[in-house]
């Protein structure tokens, strides 16, 4: 039996996921593999390195830092979330990522990115911490309009959520048969067409397949959620998600709101902890 974690993104809503992961780590709940999309990848890497509390700590510390996330950064560098500061300076110098623990962990860690030329998802397994791994995580988290594409392995990449926000079927196909899915939207949520669609069409007009993927994303995303909940009813997976819309949005600079979002993840996991353990041990 292989156990897996599937973590969707959502920008700063991902602090909910960070709360979930910290409870899992502190209760010694282990998984054979993890696949993260966008913020799910950026915060999920701390599960493989077994660094509970790290995601919350650096987000609270740097949420007002213009190098971390600001329109000044967007104007100066083309990235709302500072590429060098967020994905290299913080993990290498200011709140060090435990590279040795990551490398030695038996957890298989995957991230999802979107190929600009095909509009299709790219699934990358990351075994060794370092500059390139951080770049893959950055690519998975690079939102269209507010991020520059990331070039890796001769591919131009952006946010994995464009093409596969909830890669449950990918993990099932990888042979994981006990899967926990962490969502950052409540069960009642339905994705609607983006209000920035026309602007994205203009900015990304050189990538027609990517535009197609973005245009169909609401339907694809809603179908993915339907599949998640159908598998849950069948008893095949376990779902953790907030009961209501989270206080944090994709971008959030208020530390109180970030803490509250994290605390909801902690509370949700603790409430469901016994059922989760039973599911994994059944």
């Amino acid at each position: 039996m292989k156990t897996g974690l599937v973590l969707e993104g959502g920008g700063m809503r991902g602090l909910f996921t960070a709360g979930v992961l910290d409870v899992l780590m502190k209760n010694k709940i282990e998984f054979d593999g993890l696949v993260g999309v966008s913020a799910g990848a950026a915060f999920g890497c701390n599960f493989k390195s077994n660094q509970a509390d790290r995601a919350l700590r650096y987000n609270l510390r740097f949420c007002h830092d213009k190098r971390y996330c600001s329109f000044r950064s967007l104007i100066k560098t083309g990235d709302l979330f500072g590429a060098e500061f967020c994905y290299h300076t913080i993990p290498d110098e200011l709140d060090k990522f435990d590279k040795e623990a990551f490398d030695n962990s038996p957890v298989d860690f995957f991230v999802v990115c979107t190929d600009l030329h095909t509009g299709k998802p790219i699934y990358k397994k990351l075994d060794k911490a370092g500059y390139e791994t951080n770049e893959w995580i950055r690519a998975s988290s690079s939102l269209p309009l507010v991020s520059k594409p990331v070039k890796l392995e001769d591919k131009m990449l952006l946010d994995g959520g464009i093409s596969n926000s909830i890669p449950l079927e990918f993990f099932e196909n990888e042979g994981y048969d006990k899967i926990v899915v962490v969502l950052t939207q409540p069960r009642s949520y339905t994705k609607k067409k983006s209000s920035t669609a026309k602007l994205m069409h203009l900015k990304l007009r050189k990538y027609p397949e990517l535009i197609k993927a973005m245009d169909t994303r609401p339907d694809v995303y809603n179908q993915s959620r339907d599949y998640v909940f159908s598998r849950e009813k069948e008893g095949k997976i376990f779902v953790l998600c907030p009961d209501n819309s989270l206080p944090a949005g994709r971008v959030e600079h208020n530390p109180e709101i970030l803490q509250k979002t994290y605390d909801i993840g902690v509370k949700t996991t603790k409430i469901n902890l016994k059922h989760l353990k039973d599911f994994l041990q059944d």
Side-chain angles (χ1 to χ4, degrees):
M1 181 182 74
K2 288 175 66 176
T3 58
L5 262 174
V6 175
L7 310 177
E8 85 160 322
M12 289 299 105
R13 291 198 307 273
L15 265 297
F16 171 87
T17 302
V20 172
L21 296 177
D22 285 355
V23 174
L24 297 179
M25 283 187 271
K26 292 174 183 179
N27 282 272
K28 309 296 184 185
I29 297 177
E30 300 176 348
F31 291 85
D32 297 305
L34 180 158
V35 57
V37 183
S38 196
F43 299 155
C45 62
N46 296 294
F47 186 86
K48 181 171 169 63
S49 64
N50 196 31
Q51 290 179 274
D53 301 322
R54 179 175 178 269
L56 176 66
R57 183 174 61 241
Y58 74 72
N59 274 282
L60 293 181
R61 179 181 174 186
F62 297 113
C63 61
H64 288 304
D65 194 313
K66 288 180 169 43
R67 296 171 297 173
Y68 186 65
C69 176
S70 67
F71 284 107
R72 187 178 79 174
S73 174
L74 178 62
I75 293 168
K76 290 181 67 175
T77 71
D79 289 295
L80 183 67
F81 288 87
E84 185 65 27
F85 186 76
C86 293
Y87 296 97
H88 301 291
T89 303
I90 290 177
D92 290 343
E93 301 174 22
L94 302 178
D95 195 317
K96 290 191 175 182
F97 186 69
D98 192 335
K99 296 178 182 180
E100 183 177 358
F102 183 94
D103 294 352
N104 293 331
S105 169
V107 179
D108 289 333
F109 180 71
F110 298 82
V111 300
V112 185
C113 305
T114 300
D115 187 318
L116 269 67
H117 292 287
T118 67
K120 303 295 183 183
I122 300 290
Y123 305 100
K124 180 67 176 180
K125 184 179 177 184
L126 301 172
D127 297 315
K128 188 172 179 61
Y131 186 90
E132 186 172 333
T133 283
N134 291 355
E135 286 294 281
W136 276 100
I137 293 172
R138 178 166 79 92
S140 180
S141 308
S142 292
L143 302 171
L145 292 185
V146 294
S147 306
K148 293 184 297 186
V150 181
K151 186 175 182 180
L152 288 162
E153 296 182 355
D154 295 325
K155 296 180 177 65
M156 298 298 289
L157 305 170
L158 276 176
D159 179 32
I162 297 169
S163 55
N164 194 352
S165 296
I166 312 170
L168 171 58
E169 289 185 80
F170 164 71
F171 244 27
E172 289 178 329
N173 293 333
E174 286 290 311
Y176 292 90
D177 37 27
K178 283 282 184 179
I179 300 175
V180 175
V181 177
V182 181
L183 305 176
T184 57
Q185 295 283 12
R187 292 175 181 270
S188 59
Y189 178 77
T190 300
K191 183 173 282 297
K192 299 177 181 178
K193 186 176 179 180
S194 172
S195 59
T196 60
K198 290 184 179 179
L199 186 57
M200 287 192 285
H201 278 221
L202 179 63
K203 184 174 181 179
L204 298 166
R205 58 189 179 277
K206 293 192 298 183
Y207 307 104
E209 296 302 319
L210 181 72
I211 289 175
K212 289 179 184 178
M214 290 190 294
D215 285 346
T216 59
R217 188 187 177 202
D219 290 338
V220 171
Y221 178 79
N222 293 331
Q223 290 166 10
S224 294
R225 286 176 60 90
D226 289 344
Y227 181 73
V228 165
F229 295 128
S230 70
R231 296 297 277 169
E232 181 188 39
K233 287 180 181 178
E234 295 168 2
K236 300 297 184 181
I237 69 168
F238 195 96
V239 178
L240 290 167
C241 65
D243 293 331
N244 302 293
S245 296
L246 292 168
R250 283 193 173 276
V251 178
E252 180 57 63
H253 298 288
N254 187 328
E256 293 181 2
I257 292 178
L258 294 175
Q259 180 72 58
K260 186 176 181 180
T261 301
Y262 172 88
D263 290 343
I264 294 170
V266 170
K267 182 179 179 180
T268 300
T269 312
K270 287 182 175 179
I271 289 172
N272 288 281
L273 196 57
K274 183 182 184 303
H275 295 304
L276 175 60
K277 289 180 177 178
D278 290 344
F279 168 78
L280 292 172
Q281 293 171 359
D282 184 12

